[in-house]
Amino acid sequence: MIRLRRASKPVFLQNKTGKADAKSVWIGGDHPVVVQSMTTTDTADAEATLRQIYALTMEGCEVVRVTVKDPPDAAGLPAIVHRSPVPIVADIHFDHRMALAAIEAGVAKLRLNPGTIRDASKTREVVQAAAARSIPIRIGVNMGSLAPDLEKALGHSAEAMVESAMRHVEILEALGHTDLVISLKAHDVLTTVAAYRAMDLRLRKRETPYALHLGITEAGLLRDGTIKSSIGLGILLFEGIGDTIRCSLAADPVEEVPVCWSILKSLGLREKGFEITACPSCGRAEISVLELGQAVEAIAKEYSAPVKVAVMGCVVNGPGESKMADVGVAGGKGKGAIYRAGELVGTFPEGQLLGALRLEIEKVIRDKYPAYAHETT
Amino acid sequence: MIRLRRASKPVFLQNKTGKADAKSVWIGGDHPVVVQSMTTTDTADAEATLRQIYALTMEGCEVVRVTVKDPPDAAGLPAIVHRSPVPIVADIHFDHRMALAAIEAGVAKLRLNPGTIRDASKTREVVQAAAARSIPIRIGVNMGSLAPDLEKALGHSAEAMVESAMRHVEILEALGHTDLVISLKAHDVLTTVAAYRAMDLRLRKRETPYALHLGITEAGLLRDGTIKSSIGLGILLFEGIGDTIRCSLAADPVEEVPVCWSILKSLGLREKGFEITACPSCGRAEISVLELGQAVEAIAKEYSAPVKVAVMGCVVNGPGESKMADVGVAGGKGKGAIYRAGELVGTFPEGQLLGALRLEIEKVIRDKYPAYAHETT
C-alpha cells in the first residue's frame, strides 16, 4: 500500500561548513518525511552538545535543533555546525543578534518567528542575511506563544495559531524569503490536528504549500508523550499532511528518535531495519514471547535490512501470522518452530532456536534484500 | 471539543454470578469506549489469573478476557467469574465444549468465531445457550486466521477479513443471536484501519451497526506496539469508529491498560486522573523537567480528578502554556514558579516547590472538581 503525501515546496538544509560532502537533507516536496529532534544540553558547551548530537544521529535523527539563547550559546555554535554529521537548526527567540550569529556560524536552518523581533529593520537584516546564504526559516507557532491580540480575539484555538503563523509568513514573503517550513504545535491532539488541517487548506488556497513540520508540543512524559505524538502525527501523516516530524517528549531526547521512526514505519512512509510483530501472549503461550521478542530486537540491531519477523507464542496464530512475515518464530514447550514466509523450516530445541533464527534471517537478507547482503556473515 | 461516535447496537456484559450488584459494562451505543485486556496466566490456575485480573483492574481495565483452551482452563473459570470485579470474556477456539463450559461458568461474553466449529448442530447448541443466558458474542477475525478460501481468493487483505467476519455474523444472525461485537485485527496499521472502515460502511448499509472492538494484533513490543496501537486505534476513534479497545503488547498485560487510557484521554473520549503536559526541555531549561514531571506523576497517583497540570522547564513558554492548564509549574535556577490558570501564584525555592504545587492542586480540586473533593486532605 502506498501512502501519498500532499505536495509541498521543498527546502534544502545543509550546514555551511564549506565541505562539499556535508550531509544534506531536503524537507518537503517528494522527499521522505524527515526525523528531527532537539538537544537539551547547554549549547555553549559544544562538546556536550556534539555528544548528544552524535547519540541522536546514531538512532537515526536526520536534523538536530539547538537553542541559541545568548552570546555564550552563539559562541558554541561554529564548532557544533562544523562537526555535526547532520544539519543543525538554530532555535531563536526574540533576539535578532542570535539569529545573525547563527547565520554567521553556518547553520542549515533557523527556527524563528520574525514577528517577535520588534524592530522591522532588524527583521529585514536577519531575513536578508538568511536568504543570502540560502538558509530556510521555520516559523514555529506554539499555543503558548500566540500573538497577544489574536489570543484575545480567538482564544486558545487552532484558528489563532494559523492566523499567528500567517502573520509571520507574510513578513517573510514581503521580504522575498519563501524557503519556509511551518509548525503549529498545541499540547493536545485535537487542536493540533485541527490547526495543521486548517493551515494545509489555507496554504493550498494561496497556492503556496509550504512544508509542514509536525509536532505536539509539551506532549508529556515518555508514555503519554509517545501516545499523543503517535495519534496526532499519525492522523495527519495518514491524511498526507506533514514533511518533517518531531516527537517532543519530557525524556532523554534520544528516546524521541525511535518514536518518530516507529510512527513513520507504521504508516509505510519510511523503512528502517526490522519490522517485528509479536503477539501479546496469552494463557496459550508456552514460551515467553516477551523474552523471545527482546532477543529478536537485539538481533535486529545488527542489521539494517527491512526484514519482517513475526514472534508468536503458540501454534493457534503462529503459522498464519508467519505467512505475512519473511521469518516467523513460534514457541512451543521447550522448543520452537521457524517459518520462512509461512513454510515450516524446522523445529529446534529452545537452546538452538535463536541461532537457527539468525541463520534464517541472514538467508532472507541475501535472497530478498541483497542490497544489505554485506551485513551478513 | 466533543467527539461524536458513530451509533452502534449496544451489548450488555455482566458476569452471571447471581449477585445483583456485580459490575456491569455496556459496549456500544452511546456508552463510553471500554478498555479491555487479556490475561497471560494459565486459566486453570484461578488464583494466579485472579491476581492478574486484580492488577489489570487497578490500572482501570474494565473487561478482562481469559483463554479457555481445555478442560483444566474451563475448571478454573467458575472461581474466576465469581470473584472477578469486572466482566470476564472467554476466548474460545475450535472447541464447542469449551464454549458450553464458559457459558455454564457464567462468563459475561464469549469471543468465538462460530464458523470454526465444524458441526452445525454444535454451533447451534452453543449459540442458543449463549442467547438463552444473554451472553453477547464477539466475532474476532485476525489476519492470521482467515477462512482459507477467502485467504486464497482475496489474499491477506482488509476485504478478506471483512468477508470472513461477515460469514460468522450471518451464522449468528441465522440463529437469532444479534448481541454481537466484531473485531478485525491485522498486525499493521494501514490494513487494520482499512478493514474497520470497510466493516463500518458494510454494517451501516445493512442497518445493523454492530459494536466494534478495535485492536492491532501482534502489535509488537512495548514501544512499537504502543505506537502502532495509538496510530491505528487513534485514526479510527478520531473518525468515530470503535466501541471498545485493546492494545495488544508483547509485554506485561498490565502495561496495556494505561496505553488504552492514554489513547482515549488524548482524543477527549474519556477522562481519568491528571492530564499532564510537560515540555521536552531544551538548552534553555534550568531545572530537570523530567524529574519534575515524574514527581507530578507521583502526586497524580493520589487523586482521580481530571486536573490539567503543565510542567515547563523555562519562562519562554511556561506562563503561556500554564494559561491552558489548571496548574502550571515552570522551573528556574534553584526555584520554580507556580501558576493557577496562567496567573502567578508564587515563586518557591526548589525544596518547597512540590509541597506548594500539591497545595495548589488540592485547591483546584476543591474549586473546580468538587466531586473529587473527598480526595483532598
Side-chain angles (χ1 to χ4, degrees), chain B residues 35-94:
Chain B
V35 171
Q36 301 207 21
S37 185
M38 185 171 184
T39 52
T40 55
T41 49
D42 189 353
T43 308
D45 185 345
E47 291 302 316
T49 302
L50 279 162
R51 269 198 301 278
Q52 202 173 51
I53 291 169
Y54 296 142
L56 289 165
T57 309
M58 283 291 287
E59 292 291 324
C61 189
E62 299 170 306
V63 170
V64 177
R65 180 159 49 117
V66 302
T67 190
V68 186
K69 63 182 184 316
D70 55 24
D73 279 4
L77 212 46
I80 293 169
V81 169
H82 197 76
R83 289 167 55 195
S84 167
V86 295
I88 294 295
V89 181
D91 196 75
I92 309 290
H93 288 273
F94 316 119

Short mmCIF file of all heavy atoms in Angstrom, two decimals, chain B residues 35-94:
data_model
loop_
_atom_site.label_atom_id
_atom_site.label_comp_id
_atom_site.label_asym_id
_atom_site.label_seq_id
_atom_site.Cartn_x
_atom_site.Cartn_y
_atom_site.Cartn_z
N VAL B 35 -12.29 -0.09 28.01
CA VAL B 35 -10.90 -0.56 27.99
C VAL B 35 -10.84 -2.04 28.36
O VAL B 35 -11.35 -2.45 29.40
CB VAL B 35 -10.05 0.27 28.96
CG1 VAL B 35 -8.67 -0.34 29.14
CG2 VAL B 35 -9.96 1.71 28.48
N GLN B 36 -10.21 -2.82 27.51
CA GLN B 36 -10.08 -4.27 27.72
C GLN B 36 -8.62 -4.70 27.75
O GLN B 36 -7.76 -4.05 27.19
CB GLN B 36 -10.70 -5.04 26.55
CG GLN B 36 -12.14 -4.77 26.27
CD GLN B 36 -12.81 -5.97 25.59
OE1 GLN B 36 -12.31 -7.10 25.67
NE2 GLN B 36 -13.92 -5.73 24.95
N SER B 37 -8.38 -5.86 28.34
CA SER B 37 -7.10 -6.53 28.20
C SER B 37 -7.34 -8.03 28.31
O SER B 37 -8.48 -8.48 28.39
CB SER B 37 -6.09 -6.04 29.24
OG SER B 37 -4.83 -6.64 29.01
N MET B 38 -6.25 -8.79 28.30
CA MET B 38 -6.37 -10.26 28.36
C MET B 38 -5.28 -10.79 29.28
O MET B 38 -4.14 -10.30 29.25
CB MET B 38 -6.17 -10.83 26.95
CG MET B 38 -6.38 -12.34 26.87
SD MET B 38 -6.39 -12.91 25.14
CE MET B 38 -6.76 -14.66 25.40
N THR B 39 -5.62 -11.80 30.05
CA THR B 39 -4.63 -12.38 30.96
C THR B 39 -3.62 -13.22 30.18
O THR B 39 -3.91 -13.73 29.10
CB THR B 39 -5.30 -13.27 32.01
OG1 THR B 39 -6.13 -14.21 31.33
CG2 THR B 39 -6.15 -12.46 32.97
N THR B 40 -2.43 -13.37 30.77
CA THR B 40 -1.40 -14.23 30.18
C THR B 40 -1.14 -15.44 31.06
O THR B 40 -0.27 -16.26 30.77
CB THR B 40 -0.08 -13.47 30.02
OG1 THR B 40 0.30 -12.95 31.29
CG2 THR B 40 -0.21 -12.35 29.01
N THR B 41 -1.89 -15.53 32.14
CA THR B 41 -1.70 -16.65 33.07
C THR B 41 -2.38 -17.90 32.52
O THR B 41 -3.14 -17.84 31.56
CB THR B 41 -2.35 -16.31 34.42
OG1 THR B 41 -3.68 -15.83 34.14
CG2 THR B 41 -1.59 -15.23 35.16
N ASP B 42 -2.09 -19.00 33.16
CA ASP B 42 -2.78 -20.25 32.87
C ASP B 42 -4.17 -20.15 33.53
O ASP B 42 -4.28 -20.03 34.75
CB ASP B 42 -1.95 -21.40 33.49
CG ASP B 42 -2.45 -22.76 33.08
OD1 ASP B 42 -3.52 -22.83 32.44
OD2 ASP B 42 -1.77 -23.75 33.40
N THR B 43 -5.22 -20.22 32.72
CA THR B 43 -6.57 -20.04 33.26
C THR B 43 -6.92 -21.13 34.27
O THR B 43 -7.72 -20.91 35.20
CB THR B 43 -7.60 -20.01 32.11
OG1 THR B 43 -7.17 -19.04 31.15
CG2 THR B 43 -8.99 -19.65 32.59
N ALA B 44 -6.29 -22.29 34.11
CA ALA B 44 -6.51 -23.37 35.07
C ALA B 44 -6.06 -22.96 36.47
O ALA B 44 -6.58 -23.47 37.47
CB ALA B 44 -5.74 -24.62 34.62
N ASP B 45 -5.11 -22.05 36.55
CA ASP B 45 -4.64 -21.53 37.84
C ASP B 45 -5.47 -20.29 38.18
O ASP B 45 -5.10 -19.16 37.87
CB ASP B 45 -3.15 -21.19 37.73
CG ASP B 45 -2.55 -20.76 39.07
OD1 ASP B 45 -3.33 -20.47 40.01
OD2 ASP B 45 -1.31 -20.74 39.16
N ALA B 46 -6.63 -20.54 38.79
CA ALA B 46 -7.58 -19.45 39.03
C ALA B 46 -6.98 -18.37 39.92
O ALA B 46 -7.22 -17.18 39.71
CB ALA B 46 -8.86 -20.00 39.65
N GLU B 47 -6.17 -18.78 40.90
CA GLU B 47 -5.60 -17.78 41.82
C GLU B 47 -4.68 -16.82 41.07
O GLU B 47 -4.76 -15.61 41.22
CB GLU B 47 -4.83 -18.47 42.96
CG GLU B 47 -5.72 -19.22 43.93
CD GLU B 47 -6.77 -18.32 44.60
OE1 GLU B 47 -6.43 -17.20 45.01
OE2 GLU B 47 -7.94 -18.77 44.68
N ALA B 48 -3.78 -17.39 40.25
CA ALA B 48 -2.84 -16.55 39.50
C ALA B 48 -3.59 -15.65 38.52
O ALA B 48 -3.25 -14.48 38.33
CB ALA B 48 -1.83 -17.42 38.75
N THR B 49 -4.63 -16.22 37.91
CA THR B 49 -5.40 -15.45 36.94
C THR B 49 -6.14 -14.31 37.63
O THR B 49 -6.16 -13.17 37.15
CB THR B 49 -6.38 -16.38 36.20
OG1 THR B 49 -5.60 -17.42 35.57
CG2 THR B 49 -7.17 -15.64 35.14
N LEU B 50 -6.72 -14.61 38.80
CA LEU B 50 -7.42 -13.54 39.54
C LEU B 50 -6.45 -12.46 39.99
O LEU B 50 -6.78 -11.27 39.96
CB LEU B 50 -8.18 -14.14 40.73
CG LEU B 50 -9.52 -14.76 40.34
CD1 LEU B 50 -10.02 -15.71 41.43
CD2 LEU B 50 -10.57 -13.66 40.09
N ARG B 51 -5.24 -12.86 40.39
CA ARG B 51 -4.25 -11.83 40.78
C ARG B 51 -3.99 -10.90 39.61
O ARG B 51 -3.90 -9.69 39.77
CB ARG B 51 -2.93 -12.49 41.24
CG ARG B 51 -2.86 -12.78 42.72
CD ARG B 51 -1.42 -13.02 43.19
NE ARG B 51 -0.79 -14.13 42.52
CZ ARG B 51 -0.95 -15.42 42.85
NH1 ARG B 51 -1.73 -15.75 43.86
NH2 ARG B 51 -0.32 -16.35 42.17
N GLN B 52 -3.86 -11.48 38.40
CA GLN B 52 -3.61 -10.62 37.24
C GLN B 52 -4.84 -9.77 36.91
O GLN B 52 -4.71 -8.60 36.55
CB GLN B 52 -3.19 -11.46 36.03
CG GLN B 52 -2.42 -10.64 35.01
CD GLN B 52 -1.85 -11.50 33.89
OE1 GLN B 52 -2.54 -12.29 33.28
NE2 GLN B 52 -0.57 -11.33 33.64
N ILE B 53 -6.02 -10.35 37.08
CA ILE B 53 -7.24 -9.57 36.84
C ILE B 53 -7.32 -8.39 37.81
O ILE B 53 -7.64 -7.26 37.41
CB ILE B 53 -8.49 -10.47 36.96
CG1 ILE B 53 -8.52 -11.47 35.79
CG2 ILE B 53 -9.78 -9.63 36.99
CD1 ILE B 53 -9.56 -12.58 35.94
N TYR B 54 -6.98 -8.62 39.07
CA TYR B 54 -6.99 -7.51 40.03
C TYR B 54 -5.98 -6.44 39.62
O TYR B 54 -6.25 -5.25 39.70
CB TYR B 54 -6.68 -8.00 41.45
CG TYR B 54 -7.71 -8.97 42.02
CD1 TYR B 54 -7.32 -10.04 42.81
CD2 TYR B 54 -9.07 -8.81 41.76
CE1 TYR B 54 -8.26 -10.94 43.32
CE2 TYR B 54 -10.01 -9.70 42.27
CZ TYR B 54 -9.60 -10.77 43.05
OH TYR B 54 -10.52 -11.64 43.55
N ALA B 55 -4.80 -6.87 39.20
CA ALA B 55 -3.77 -5.90 38.80
C ALA B 55 -4.25 -5.09 37.59
O ALA B 55 -4.06 -3.87 37.53
CB ALA B 55 -2.46 -6.62 38.47
N LEU B 56 -4.88 -5.75 36.63
CA LEU B 56 -5.42 -5.05 35.46
C LEU B 56 -6.51 -4.07 35.88
O LEU B 56 -6.56 -2.93 35.39
CB LEU B 56 -5.99 -6.06 34.46
CG LEU B 56 -4.96 -6.93 33.72
CD1 LEU B 56 -5.65 -8.12 33.04
CD2 LEU B 56 -4.22 -6.09 32.68
N THR B 57 -7.37 -4.51 36.79
CA THR B 57 -8.48 -3.67 37.24
C THR B 57 -7.97 -2.43 37.96
O THR B 57 -8.51 -1.34 37.81
CB THR B 57 -9.40 -4.50 38.17
OG1 THR B 57 -9.74 -5.72 37.50
CG2 THR B 57 -10.66 -3.75 38.49
N MET B 58 -6.91 -2.61 38.76
CA MET B 58 -6.32 -1.47 39.47
C MET B 58 -5.88 -0.38 38.50
O MET B 58 -5.92 0.80 38.82
CB MET B 58 -5.08 -1.93 40.26
CG MET B 58 -5.36 -2.66 41.54
SD MET B 58 -6.07 -1.59 42.80
CE MET B 58 -4.59 -0.62 43.26
N GLU B 59 -5.43 -0.78 37.30
CA GLU B 59 -4.98 0.20 36.30
C GLU B 59 -6.15 0.79 35.51
O GLU B 59 -5.95 1.67 34.69
CB GLU B 59 -3.99 -0.45 35.34
CG GLU B 59 -2.67 -0.83 35.97
CD GLU B 59 -1.85 0.40 36.35
OE1 GLU B 59 -1.89 1.41 35.62
OE2 GLU B 59 -1.17 0.35 37.40
N GLY B 60 -7.35 0.23 35.71
CA GLY B 60 -8.50 0.78 35.01
C GLY B 60 -9.07 -0.11 33.91
O GLY B 60 -9.88 0.34 33.10
N CYS B 61 -8.66 -1.37 33.90
CA CYS B 61 -9.20 -2.29 32.90
C CYS B 61 -10.65 -2.60 33.25
O CYS B 61 -10.96 -2.90 34.40
CB CYS B 61 -8.36 -3.57 32.88
SG CYS B 61 -8.80 -4.64 31.51
N GLU B 62 -11.54 -2.55 32.27
CA GLU B 62 -12.97 -2.64 32.54
C GLU B 62 -13.58 -3.98 32.12
O GLU B 62 -14.69 -4.33 32.54
CB GLU B 62 -13.69 -1.50 31.83
CG GLU B 62 -13.20 -0.15 32.36
CD GLU B 62 -13.69 1.03 31.53
OE1 GLU B 62 -13.48 1.03 30.30
OE2 GLU B 62 -14.28 1.94 32.14
N VAL B 63 -12.88 -4.71 31.28
CA VAL B 63 -13.31 -6.04 30.84
C VAL B 63 -12.03 -6.86 30.67
O VAL B 63 -11.06 -6.37 30.11
CB VAL B 63 -14.06 -5.98 29.49
CG1 VAL B 63 -14.28 -7.37 28.92
CG2 VAL B 63 -15.39 -5.24 29.64
N VAL B 64 -12.03 -8.11 31.15
CA VAL B 64 -10.83 -8.95 31.01
C VAL B 64 -11.19 -10.24 30.27
O VAL B 64 -12.17 -10.90 30.60
CB VAL B 64 -10.20 -9.29 32.37
CG1 VAL B 64 -9.00 -10.23 32.19
CG2 VAL B 64 -9.75 -8.03 33.11
N ARG B 65 -10.36 -10.57 29.30
CA ARG B 65 -10.55 -11.81 28.55
C ARG B 65 -9.57 -12.85 29.06
O ARG B 65 -8.42 -12.53 29.37
CB ARG B 65 -10.30 -11.52 27.06
CG ARG B 65 -10.46 -12.70 26.14
CD ARG B 65 -10.73 -12.26 24.69
NE ARG B 65 -9.79 -11.27 24.21
CZ ARG B 65 -8.94 -11.44 23.20
NH1 ARG B 65 -8.89 -12.62 22.57
NH2 ARG B 65 -8.14 -10.48 22.81
N VAL B 66 -10.03 -14.09 29.14
CA VAL B 66 -9.15 -15.20 29.53
C VAL B 66 -9.31 -16.30 28.48
O VAL B 66 -10.39 -16.48 27.92
CB VAL B 66 -9.50 -15.76 30.94
CG1 VAL B 66 -9.41 -14.68 32.01
CG2 VAL B 66 -10.88 -16.40 30.96
N THR B 67 -8.24 -17.00 28.20
CA THR B 67 -8.34 -18.09 27.24
C THR B 67 -8.94 -19.31 27.93
O THR B 67 -8.69 -19.56 29.12
CB THR B 67 -6.96 -18.42 26.62
OG1 THR B 67 -7.16 -19.32 25.53
CG2 THR B 67 -6.02 -19.06 27.63
N VAL B 68 -9.75 -20.05 27.20
CA VAL B 68 -10.31 -21.31 27.73
C VAL B 68 -10.03 -22.35 26.66
O VAL B 68 -10.83 -22.59 25.76
CB VAL B 68 -11.83 -21.18 28.00
CG1 VAL B 68 -12.35 -22.44 28.69
CG2 VAL B 68 -12.13 -19.96 28.86
N LYS B 69 -8.86 -22.98 26.77
CA LYS B 69 -8.40 -23.84 25.68
C LYS B 69 -8.67 -25.31 25.93
O LYS B 69 -8.68 -26.11 25.00
CB LYS B 69 -6.91 -23.60 25.39
CG LYS B 69 -5.98 -23.96 26.55
CD LYS B 69 -4.53 -23.66 26.21
CE LYS B 69 -3.59 -24.10 27.35
NZ LYS B 69 -4.05 -23.75 28.73
N ASP B 70 -8.86 -25.69 27.22
CA ASP B 70 -9.01 -27.11 27.53
C ASP B 70 -9.78 -27.29 28.85
O ASP B 70 -10.04 -26.32 29.55
CB ASP B 70 -7.62 -27.78 27.58
CG ASP B 70 -6.67 -27.07 28.54
OD1 ASP B 70 -7.16 -26.39 29.49
OD2 ASP B 70 -5.44 -27.18 28.36
N PRO B 71 -10.13 -28.53 29.19
CA PRO B 71 -10.93 -28.73 30.40
C PRO B 71 -10.31 -28.17 31.68
O PRO B 71 -11.05 -27.59 32.51
CB PRO B 71 -11.11 -30.25 30.45
CG PRO B 71 -11.10 -30.66 28.99
CD PRO B 71 -10.05 -29.76 28.37
N PRO B 72 -8.99 -28.25 31.90
CA PRO B 72 -8.47 -27.62 33.12
C PRO B 72 -8.73 -26.11 33.16
O PRO B 72 -9.06 -25.55 34.21
CB PRO B 72 -6.96 -27.92 33.06
CG PRO B 72 -6.85 -29.15 32.21
CD PRO B 72 -7.96 -29.06 31.20
N ASP B 73 -8.60 -25.42 32.00
CA ASP B 73 -8.94 -24.00 31.96
C ASP B 73 -10.41 -23.80 32.32
O ASP B 73 -10.75 -22.91 33.12
CB ASP B 73 -8.73 -23.43 30.54
CG ASP B 73 -7.27 -23.09 30.25
OD1 ASP B 73 -6.42 -23.36 31.12
OD2 ASP B 73 -7.00 -22.56 29.15
N ALA B 74 -11.25 -24.61 31.72
CA ALA B 74 -12.69 -24.48 31.98
C ALA B 74 -12.99 -24.70 33.46
O ALA B 74 -13.86 -24.03 34.04
CB ALA B 74 -13.48 -25.46 31.12
N ALA B 75 -12.22 -25.59 34.09
CA ALA B 75 -12.43 -25.87 35.51
C ALA B 75 -12.05 -24.67 36.37
O ALA B 75 -12.60 -24.46 37.46
CB ALA B 75 -11.61 -27.10 35.93
N GLY B 76 -11.12 -23.87 35.89
CA GLY B 76 -10.72 -22.68 36.65
C GLY B 76 -11.72 -21.54 36.55
O GLY B 76 -11.72 -20.61 37.36
N LEU B 77 -12.55 -21.60 35.52
CA LEU B 77 -13.39 -20.45 35.16
C LEU B 77 -14.44 -20.05 36.21
O LEU B 77 -14.59 -18.85 36.48
CB LEU B 77 -14.06 -20.75 33.82
CG LEU B 77 -14.35 -19.58 32.88
CD1 LEU B 77 -13.18 -18.63 32.76
CD2 LEU B 77 -14.75 -20.12 31.52
N PRO B 78 -15.17 -21.00 36.83
CA PRO B 78 -16.23 -20.56 37.76
C PRO B 78 -15.69 -19.66 38.88
O PRO B 78 -16.30 -18.63 39.19
CB PRO B 78 -16.79 -21.88 38.31
CG PRO B 78 -16.54 -22.87 37.19
CD PRO B 78 -15.21 -22.46 36.60
N ALA B 79 -14.55 -20.02 39.44
CA ALA B 79 -14.00 -19.19 40.53
C ALA B 79 -13.60 -17.82 40.00
O ALA B 79 -13.79 -16.79 40.67
CB ALA B 79 -12.77 -19.90 41.14
N ILE B 80 -13.04 -17.81 38.80
CA ILE B 80 -12.62 -16.54 38.21
C ILE B 80 -13.83 -15.64 37.98
O ILE B 80 -13.85 -14.46 38.36
CB ILE B 80 -11.85 -16.79 36.89
CG1 ILE B 80 -10.53 -17.50 37.18
CG2 ILE B 80 -11.63 -15.49 36.13
CD1 ILE B 80 -9.82 -18.05 35.94
N VAL B 81 -14.86 -16.20 37.37
CA VAL B 81 -16.07 -15.41 37.08
C VAL B 81 -16.70 -14.91 38.37
O VAL B 81 -17.12 -13.76 38.47
CB VAL B 81 -17.07 -16.27 36.27
CG1 VAL B 81 -18.43 -15.58 36.19
CG2 VAL B 81 -16.52 -16.56 34.88
N HIS B 82 -16.72 -15.77 39.37
CA HIS B 82 -17.39 -15.40 40.61
C HIS B 82 -16.65 -14.28 41.34
O HIS B 82 -17.27 -13.39 41.90
CB HIS B 82 -17.52 -16.64 41.51
CG HIS B 82 -18.54 -16.45 42.59
ND1 HIS B 82 -19.89 -16.51 42.35
CD2 HIS B 82 -18.40 -16.15 43.91
CE1 HIS B 82 -20.55 -16.28 43.47
NE2 HIS B 82 -19.66 -16.06 44.44
N ARG B 83 -15.33 -14.34 41.30
CA ARG B 83 -14.56 -13.38 42.12
C ARG B 83 -14.04 -12.19 41.34
O ARG B 83 -13.55 -11.23 41.94
CB ARG B 83 -13.41 -14.13 42.80
CG ARG B 83 -13.92 -15.06 43.89
CD ARG B 83 -12.86 -16.04 44.36
NE ARG B 83 -11.63 -15.39 44.80
CZ ARG B 83 -10.47 -16.01 44.98
NH1 ARG B 83 -10.38 -17.32 44.74
NH2 ARG B 83 -9.42 -15.35 45.37
N SER B 84 -14.11 -12.21 40.03
CA SER B 84 -13.59 -11.07 39.27
C SER B 84 -14.42 -9.81 39.52
O SER B 84 -15.64 -9.87 39.50
CB SER B 84 -13.61 -11.37 37.78
OG SER B 84 -13.40 -10.17 37.06
N PRO B 85 -13.75 -8.68 39.72
CA PRO B 85 -14.50 -7.43 39.90
C PRO B 85 -15.00 -6.84 38.59
O PRO B 85 -15.72 -5.84 38.61
CB PRO B 85 -13.47 -6.50 40.55
CG PRO B 85 -12.15 -7.01 40.13
CD PRO B 85 -12.30 -8.50 39.88
N VAL B 86 -14.64 -7.41 37.46
CA VAL B 86 -15.09 -6.88 36.15
C VAL B 86 -15.60 -8.04 35.29
O VAL B 86 -15.28 -9.21 35.55
CB VAL B 86 -13.94 -6.16 35.40
CG1 VAL B 86 -13.49 -4.91 36.15
CG2 VAL B 86 -12.76 -7.11 35.15
N PRO B 87 -16.37 -7.73 34.26
CA PRO B 87 -16.87 -8.79 33.39
C PRO B 87 -15.73 -9.59 32.74
O PRO B 87 -14.72 -9.03 32.34
CB PRO B 87 -17.68 -8.03 32.33
CG PRO B 87 -18.13 -6.78 33.03
CD PRO B 87 -16.97 -6.42 33.92
N ILE B 88 -15.95 -10.90 32.66
CA ILE B 88 -14.97 -11.83 32.08
C ILE B 88 -15.45 -12.30 30.71
O ILE B 88 -16.60 -12.68 30.54
CB ILE B 88 -14.80 -13.06 33.01
CG1 ILE B 88 -14.16 -12.63 34.34
CG2 ILE B 88 -13.96 -14.16 32.33
CD1 ILE B 88 -12.74 -12.12 34.24
N VAL B 89 -14.51 -12.28 29.76
CA VAL B 89 -14.79 -12.79 28.41
C VAL B 89 -13.98 -14.07 28.23
O VAL B 89 -12.78 -14.09 28.52
CB VAL B 89 -14.35 -11.77 27.33
CG1 VAL B 89 -14.67 -12.31 25.94
CG2 VAL B 89 -15.02 -10.43 27.56
N ALA B 90 -14.65 -15.12 27.76
CA ALA B 90 -13.94 -16.38 27.50
C ALA B 90 -13.52 -16.42 26.04
O ALA B 90 -14.34 -16.21 25.14
CB ALA B 90 -14.85 -17.56 27.82
N ASP B 91 -12.22 -16.69 25.82
CA ASP B 91 -11.66 -16.77 24.47
C ASP B 91 -11.66 -18.23 24.04
O ASP B 91 -10.96 -19.06 24.64
CB ASP B 91 -10.22 -16.22 24.51
CG ASP B 91 -9.70 -15.90 23.14
OD1 ASP B 91 -10.12 -14.88 22.58
OD2 ASP B 91 -8.86 -16.69 22.63
N ILE B 92 -12.46 -18.54 23.03
CA ILE B 92 -12.67 -19.93 22.62
C ILE B 92 -12.15 -20.15 21.21
O ILE B 92 -12.42 -19.33 20.32
CB ILE B 92 -14.19 -20.27 22.63
CG1 ILE B 92 -14.85 -19.87 23.94
CG2 ILE B 92 -14.42 -21.73 22.26
CD1 ILE B 92 -14.48 -20.69 25.13
N HIS B 93 -11.43 -21.22 21.01
CA HIS B 93 -11.01 -21.59 19.66
C HIS B 93 -11.42 -23.02 19.36
O HIS B 93 -11.02 -23.93 20.09
CB HIS B 93 -9.48 -21.45 19.50
CG HIS B 93 -9.05 -20.03 19.46
ND1 HIS B 93 -9.00 -19.29 18.31
CD2 HIS B 93 -8.70 -19.19 20.46
CE1 HIS B 93 -8.61 -18.07 18.59
NE2 HIS B 93 -8.42 -17.98 19.89
N PHE B 94 -12.18 -23.19 18.29
CA PHE B 94 -12.50 -24.50 17.74
C PHE B 94 -13.46 -25.35 18.59
O PHE B 94 -14.38 -25.95 18.06
CB PHE B 94 -11.23 -25.34 17.48
CG PHE B 94 -10.12 -24.57 16.83
CD1 PHE B 94 -8.89 -24.41 17.45
CD2 PHE B 94 -10.33 -23.99 15.57
CE1 PHE B 94 -7.86 -23.70 16.83
CE2 PHE B 94 -9.31 -23.27 14.95
CZ PHE B 94 -8.07 -23.13 15.58
#
